Amino acid sequence: MTGIHTEASARSPQALGLMAEPSAADQAAAVAPVDAQWWTALGDSRLNQLVESALADGPSLKVAEARIRKAWAMAQVSEAADGPQVNGQATANRNHAPANGLIPPPIAGNNYNTAEARINGSWSLDLFGKHRAALDAAVGTARAAQADRDAARVLLASNVVQAYVQLSRWQEQEAVAERAIAQREHTLKLVRDRYSAGLDTTLEVRQSESGVPEARVQLEQVREQKHLAQNALAALVGQPGNGQNLQAAPIASLKLPQFPQQLSASLLGRRADIVAARWRVEAADRSIAEAKAEFYPDINLTAFIGLSSIGFNNFAKGNAREWGVGPALSLPIFDSGLLRANLRGKSADYDVAVEGYNQAVINAVHDVADQIASAKSAYAQLPEQRKAADAAQSALDIANQRYAAGLGTYLNVLSAETNVLTQRRQSVDIEARILQTNAALAQALGGGYSDPEPSAAAIDTAASQKKAS
């Protein structure tokens, strides 16, 4: 085993720029930063039902559950290898002995019957921990599968909330587009009245007439996006044929859940994907221990008892009994480098698992940092956007008044009207973005996940010190 060792080491929280310990003000939040049903804080019963439906019937979660069952079954296979094994066998044969073979007369050259029944037992003492290591590796794999399932649940809940907010956004945009049509129809009537009074020309009439169908085209485009959002949400909740019946609550009625916006080391235990990666590291570590144990002897206790006879009529006689008991030793002497190659492979698997863990941690910290930055930006934009929308509406009112009084041109009205529609759409987009960013932040912070059975090894520190002897 000399010269075979692992090379990867896990990143520490400090190396990632995370606070090792939360401040006193944040300690309570650090214990449970996100509620396991965080979406209920938005205060919409329809959304709650959709999320619950998705989590109950999602095919991706069913696949994850099947993988968990398989992983635990493999753990039971490994556990069984550490216990006593008993099996039975029975044979009955009609044979012909060669005349010039090893079998002496009177059987030689004649037909004869043999019968045998035996119960065999064995028990591997596992003095060097090979079976225990294999079981621990299988348990680690099963725990990783469970964490993967929980990560899928968190992702699915976040996707449903974001799809729901997206549908609400397009519903609001549809209302804006309908208001735009009504506004342009009102402007067209005003232009026609002025044309009839001789205050405008045919040019203003034609310009105003083109605005109505243009607004209707925009409405149809928005409705297309709304239908696509309905279909996406319906697919997430497992009802793809019911998309057109789905409706979302207005954005203004959805409350904003509050999440902690500080990065701390507790994040590493609050994300199911990181916990899954951690369990894979532990499983890989135990696989190395199993590979090392292959270099040592296998010591088994074996025993058998049964009946064996030549001739069926002798099978039940007392002198047909046989039995045996004793130890068995198996020791690798020369294998052309097979065991060393296996150990090198397990060590490489460990390095892969550790670097996978490191990448999962980096991605998690990056994800949280991005969502916090986006949330802060969206919050800062909203009041400014509302001011811009109010100013645009005021400018349109003034432009309409001046145009009606003959003091302004239609181009002034058209420009002000376009600005109002743009500001309305942007206001809806920012409000939706705030909600979607909060949903993404809830997912990034772990979605309320907590590891029910933490891994036995402290991966963040022990992995960096791991060296194979």
Side-chain angles (χ1 to χ4, degrees), residues 5-19:
H5 57 81
T6 58
E7 299 180 3
S9 60
R11 303 285 182 91
S12 67
Q14 292 75 17
L16 297 167
L18 299 176
M19 295 186 304

Side-chain angles (χ1 to χ4, degrees), residues 443-460:
Q443 175 194 339
L445 290 171
Y449 169 81
S450 61
D451 186 6
E453 295 189 34
S455 57
I459 298 300
D460 300 330

Side-chain angles (χ1 to χ4, degrees), residues 188-201 204-205 402-410:
L188 176 59
K189 181 178 181 303
L190 177 60
V191 172
R192 284 174 175 170
D193 289 344
R194 286 175 56 83
Y195 175 77
S196 298
L199 300 176
D200 273 336
T201 66
E204 283 77 16
V205 175
R402 288 176 57 82
Y403 181 66
L407 300 177
T409 66
Y410 176 71

Side-chain angles (χ1 to χ4, degrees), residues 117-334:
R118 178 181 292 180
I119 295 176
N120 300 295
S122 65
W123 185 20
S124 176
L125 298 184
D126 196 29
L127 297 180
F128 301 99
K130 179 173 69 174
H131 297 319
R132 182 71 235 181
L135 175 59
D136 290 343
V139 169
T141 301
R143 296 295 187 201
Q146 288 181 318
D148 283 336
R149 184 272 316 275
D150 293 332
R153 287 178 60 86
V154 172
L155 176 61
L156 181 57
S158 177
N159 285 344
V160 170
V161 173
Q162 293 188 62
Y164 187 84
V165 173
Q166 185 75 341
L167 175 57
S168 180
R169 172 198 171 207
W170 286 114
Q171 289 176 178
E172 297 286 342
Q173 294 287 17
E174 182 182 31
V176 171
E178 289 172 346
R179 289 176 61 186
I181 292 175
Q183 187 170 300
R184 290 188 175 181
E185 287 176 343
H186 173 76
T187 302
L188 176 59
K189 181 178 181 303
L190 177 60
V191 172
R192 284 174 175 170
D193 289 344
R194 286 175 56 83
Y195 175 77
S196 298
L199 300 176
D200 273 336
T201 66
T202 305
L203 175 62
E204 283 77 16
V205 175
R206 293 304 181 203
Q207 286 177 328
S208 183
E209 287 176 343
S210 68
V212 176
E214 178 186 3
R216 288 174 178 161
V217 169
Q218 292 176 349
L219 174 61
E220 289 304 317
Q221 292 173 342
V222 169
R223 283 177 174 169
E224 176 190 4
Q225 295 302 316
K226 185 188 78 169
H227 293 325
L228 294 178
Q230 288 175 319
N231 294 339
L233 180 58
L236 284 172
V237 299
Q239 302 173 5
N242 195 38
Q244 302 307 312
N245 296 325
L246 295 177
Q247 295 293 324
I251 288 180
S253 69
L254 298 176
K255 302 175 183 178
L256 286 175
Q258 296 298 316
F259 302 126
Q261 298 192 356
Q262 289 187 352
L263 291 172
S264 68
S266 63
L267 170 67
L268 304 186
R270 298 294 181 178
R271 283 185 54 125
D273 57 340
I274 293 179
V275 172
R278 185 180 296 164
W279 276 113
R280 290 190 181 94
V281 171
E282 185 157 317
D285 176 68
R286 301 313 299 154
S287 292
I288 291 177
E290 180 186 5
K292 288 180 179 179
E294 294 283 357
F295 287 84
Y296 299 102
D298 282 335
I299 300 176
N300 297 319
L301 296 179
T302 64
F304 70 89
I305 185 172
L307 301 171
S308 180
S309 70
I310 297 177
F312 292 151
N313 58 323
N314 297 321
F315 183 69
K317 294 181 179 179
N319 56 7
R321 291 193 301 268
E322 64 174 352
W323 60 270
V325 62
L329 175 67
S330 174
L331 175 65
I333 297 176
F334 180 74

Side-chain angles (χ1 to χ4, degrees), residues 397-427:
D397 293 341
I398 293 172
N400 279 326
Q401 294 170 6
R402 288 176 57 82
Y403 181 66
L407 300 177
T409 66
Y410 176 71
L411 290 177
N412 293 334
V413 175
L414 184 60
S415 176
E417 182 184 71
T418 301
N419 190 33
V420 166
L421 296 177
T422 299
Q423 298 303 327
R424 287 175 181 169
R425 294 189 186 103
Q426 289 180 351
S427 295

